[in-house]
């Protein structure tokens, strides 16, 4: 298998699409993590805090990063991108298989 990786025209169609899928999945994971971090860092909500100063209780609000939004956004982004990637790899597999069958069929008629 590894020796076929560097020889063009030697790999099976399933291997090609499988390698492309896993490379896309790794890239999708990285992008989804960055997107979740972006949502976490840019969206805040205000949390109520209380503190005692000079014997008096004061209530105030402080901005806090929105962790649940970052997690949900990152996971949703990963799931959506994986569905799109799977569909794209399936279409690519069909195209490559059809081209392979076409070339094998017409190879004998060219002689």
């Amino acid at each position: 298998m590894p020796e076929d990786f560097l020889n063009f025209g030697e790999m099976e169609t399933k291997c090609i699409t499988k390698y492309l899928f896993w490379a896309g999945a790794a890239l999708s994971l990285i992008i989804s993590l960055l997107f979740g971090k972006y949502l976490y860092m840019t969206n805040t909500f205000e949390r109520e805090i209380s503190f005692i100063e000079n014997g008096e209780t004061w209530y105030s609000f402080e901005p806090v990063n929105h962790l649940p939004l970052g997690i949900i956004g990152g996971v949703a982004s990963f799931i959506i991108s994986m569905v799109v990637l799977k569909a794209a790899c399936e279409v690519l597999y069909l195209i490559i298989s059809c081209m392979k069958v076409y070339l094998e069929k017409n190879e004998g008629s060219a002689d």
Side-chain angles (χ1 to χ4, degrees):
M1 179 70 98
E3 63 274 355
D4 291 343
F5 184 74
L6 297 175
N7 296 331
F8 292 106
E10 301 285 328
M11 291 183 70
E12 290 291 323
T13 307
K14 284 186 179 182
C15 290
I16 293 170
T17 53
K18 185 170 47 171
Y19 287 146
L20 286 175
F21 176 78
W22 287 114
L27 184 64
S28 175
L29 179 65
I30 293 169
I31 291 172
S32 296
L33 287 172
L34 292 175
F35 180 67
K37 184 177 179 181
Y38 173 78
L39 287 177
Y40 168 71
M41 297 299 287
T42 58
N43 293 294
T44 60
F45 65 94
E46 292 191 353
R47 179 177 62 182
E48 183 179 351
I49 59 169
S50 64
F51 57 94
I52 298 174
E53 186 176 298
N54 297 330
E56 293 183 37
T57 303
W58 294 86
Y59 296 97
S60 181
F61 295 96
E62 69 176 351
V64 178
N65 290 341
H66 207 307
L67 181 63
L69 179 65
I71 292 172
I72 292 170
V75 169
S77 169
F78 182 71
I79 290 171
I80 291 170
S81 64
M82 290 303 290
V83 169
V84 170
L85 179 65
K86 177 67 174 170
C89 284
E90 288 290 335
V91 169
L92 184 63
Y93 175 74
L94 288 175
I95 291 171
I96 292 173
S97 297
C98 290
M99 288 175 58
K100 187 175 180 180
V101 168
Y102 177 77
L103 289 174
E104 288 173 355
K105 182 179 176 183
N106 289 335
E107 187 176 275
S109 64
D111 292 332

